[in-house]
Amino acid sequence: MRVLIVKSSALGDIIHALPVLDYLKQVSSGIEIDWVVEEHCKDVLEGNPLIAQLQVLRTRAWRKRPFAPATWREMAAFKRGLLARQYRIVFDIQGNCKSGVVDWLTQAPAVLGFSEEVLQERVNAWFTSRKVPIKASDYHITDQYLRVVSVPYGRDFRTMQLHADIATTTEDDQAAELLLATLGDGLVFLFQYGTTWQTKFWSEEGWIALGQSVRRRYPEATILFSWGTEAERSVVTRLSGAIGSGARVIDRFSLKELAALLKKVDLVVGGDTGPVHLAAAVGTPTVSLYRASDGKRSGPRGNQHVVIQAPMECTACFRTRCDKDGTCRASITAERVLAGIEEILRKDVEQ
């Protein structure tokens, strides 16, 4: 039985989908699972022992040169790669036009996807042979993915212990160890400032106040700031300087190196962003901050995670811009985030 998962982006969404691999392996012995992924997200899946083969999309490159002969050759090769695998079932848990085209290219006899009310783009429904309705209890995005893939097997995913992980290499682990070897013996926190939408960021004042509070509460602790763009590096350098001793901006790590580092730090704090979900996937406790997005829908789950939702009436609005943005940022206080950190560390000691 060879099946295909179509979930090409974004990073956080792919991480949320990882439990479907464990589900499929548990319910179907001998199953072979391939995965369609965008090139810029493939690192999170490479090396995963539960995946037989990655089918890599280069959509960004193809859009830049849509009429170039090399683009057409690559797209034709991608189609041949899909057809050669002769998938029995395709699980489309992306739900947009692009994933629908991928579904069609596979020529698979069964293509399962979302029902129209939850699709990103309704045109996707043209390409799926079975539309899976999402139950009210499937509020979290991971449960929605699991609902689709569970249909052919009839086993309730809610009764199962499902795990996710990110494969790292020896070299990735060594890069993390080299960094940690330069730190003291206290707790190591990683602060993830960067995210996507403006309405997902927390205030700089909040980060500084939190960092200073953490240092007072845990004087031996180290606070690491990660970054992904030059603009983010500029901001976190300013934040680290304002916090003072014990705060440090790390070099830019590859996704695999960052995953290796996240496995080894004590706790990660950040917004609704890929690295926070990455930390949860590798088993590291997190405190995550939600404003425009909905922490109940996409936040890390479990006793070692604290999800803080902005206490605004309009919270979880899913707006990318808002004239109340400053007020919304300020509604999440450093005291509340510190309380979340203390709650997790207290549980860790009790265990």
Side-chain angles (χ1 to χ4, degrees):
M1 168 69 78
R2 184 178 293 141
V3 303
L4 178 68
I5 297 169
V6 183
K7 186 62 182 174
S8 59
S9 62
L11 178 62
D13 293 332
I14 291 173
I15 294 169
H16 283 313
L18 288 176
V20 305
L21 294 169
D22 193 19
Y23 176 87
L24 290 170
K25 286 293 185 178
Q26 288 192 42
V27 300
S28 180
S29 61
I31 194 171
E32 196 170 330
I33 309 168
D34 289 3
W35 194 305
V36 173
V37 64
E38 286 284 359
E39 185 176 44
H40 64 278
C41 292
K42 69 177 182 177
D43 283 359
V44 77
L45 298 174
E46 281 190 329
N48 191 310
L50 302 183
I51 297 176
Q53 184 172 309
L54 292 179
Q55 301 280 12
V56 180
L57 283 167
R58 301 188 68 242
T59 305
R60 289 182 175 180
W62 297 342
R63 284 174 177 168
K64 290 179 180 178
R65 302 182 63 201
F67 303 109
T71 297
W72 286 91
R73 286 195 296 269
E74 287 182 9
M75 290 192 294
F78 176 76
K79 178 182 177 181
R80 288 194 301 270
L82 293 175
L83 292 173
R85 298 291 282 170
Q86 298 182 326
Y87 299 112
R88 293 282 300 279
I89 305 176
V90 172
F91 297 106
D92 184 341
I93 53 176
Q94 187 82 28
N96 60 15
C97 181
K98 178 176 64 176
S99 64
V101 172
V102 172
D103 302 339
W104 174 69
L105 291 175
T106 66
Q107 297 184 15
V111 180
L112 279 69
F114 295 117
S115 54
E116 289 192 27
E117 65 270 14
V118 294
L119 287 175
Q120 291 184 31
E121 299 171 3
R122 292 199 172 188
V123 68
N124 176 269
W126 296 352
F127 301 97
T128 55
S129 57
R130 184 166 182 180
K131 285 75 173 166
V132 179
I134 300 303
K135 298 183 178 182
S137 58
D138 300 332
Y139 192 74
H140 197 278
I141 191 64
T142 297
D143 290 342
Q144 294 180 17
Y145 300 151
L146 287 165
R147 179 65 60 193
V148 173
V149 302
S150 68
V151 165
Y153 307 100
R155 184 171 174 187
D156 186 356
F157 55 86
R158 297 183 187 279
T159 66
M160 303 168 64
Q161 290 290 327
L162 298 175
H163 302 282
D165 196 11
I166 310 295
T168 54
T169 66
T170 301
E171 291 75 18
D172 299 324
D173 296 335
Q174 288 176 343
E177 289 289 356
L178 284 173
L179 171 60
L180 294 173
T182 66
L183 308 180
D185 294 330
L187 295 167
V188 179
F189 299 91
L190 186 135
F191 284 5
Q192 174 62 38
Y193 162 82
T195 180
T196 49
W197 308 345
Q198 171 187 313
T199 49
K200 289 184 178 182
F201 279 87
W202 193 28
S203 66
E204 293 187 27
E205 296 80 8
W207 283 113
I208 294 168
L210 176 65
Q212 292 172 343
S213 296
V214 165
R215 286 287 296 155
R216 285 193 296 269
R217 178 69 176 81
Y218 308 100
E220 302 301 317
T222 299
I223 298 170
L224 303 177
F225 279 95
S226 57
W227 54 279
T229 66
E230 287 299 321
E232 287 178 12
R233 183 170 69 164
S234 176
V235 174
V236 298
T237 298
R238 183 164 64 247
L239 299 180
S240 176
I243 293 168
S245 175
R248 174 175 172 180
V249 178
I250 64 175
D251 292 333
R252 184 174 183 178
F253 277 27
S254 70
L255 186 62
K256 292 283 196 181
E257 290 171 341
L258 181 59
L261 177 62
L262 292 174
K263 290 179 182 182
K264 299 176 185 297
V265 303
D266 293 288
L267 190 143
V268 174
V269 182
D272 180 11
T273 185
V276 172
H277 302 305
L278 194 65
V282 299
T284 299
T286 67
V287 175
S288 52
L289 318 179
Y290 282 77
R291 301 198 299 113
S293 52
D294 187 349
K296 291 182 179 179
R297 182 178 183 272
S298 59
R301 297 187 290 181
N303 291 333
Q304 64 175 355
H305 304 291
V306 170
V307 174
I308 299 172
Q309 189 77 43
M312 302 274 288
E313 290 184 1
C314 51
T315 193
C317 62
F318 288 95
R319 298 180 63 180
T320 58
R321 292 189 176 275
C322 179
D323 55 8
K324 297 180 181 178
D325 185 55
T327 303
C328 187
R329 294 189 193 214
S331 72
I332 298 178
T333 65
E335 291 78 13
R336 175 66 186 93
V337 183
L338 180 64
I341 292 173
E342 291 174 335
E343 177 184 340
I344 290 175
L345 295 179
R346 184 169 57 253
K347 289 179 181 178
D348 190 50
V349 170
E350 290 172 354
Q351 292 175 356

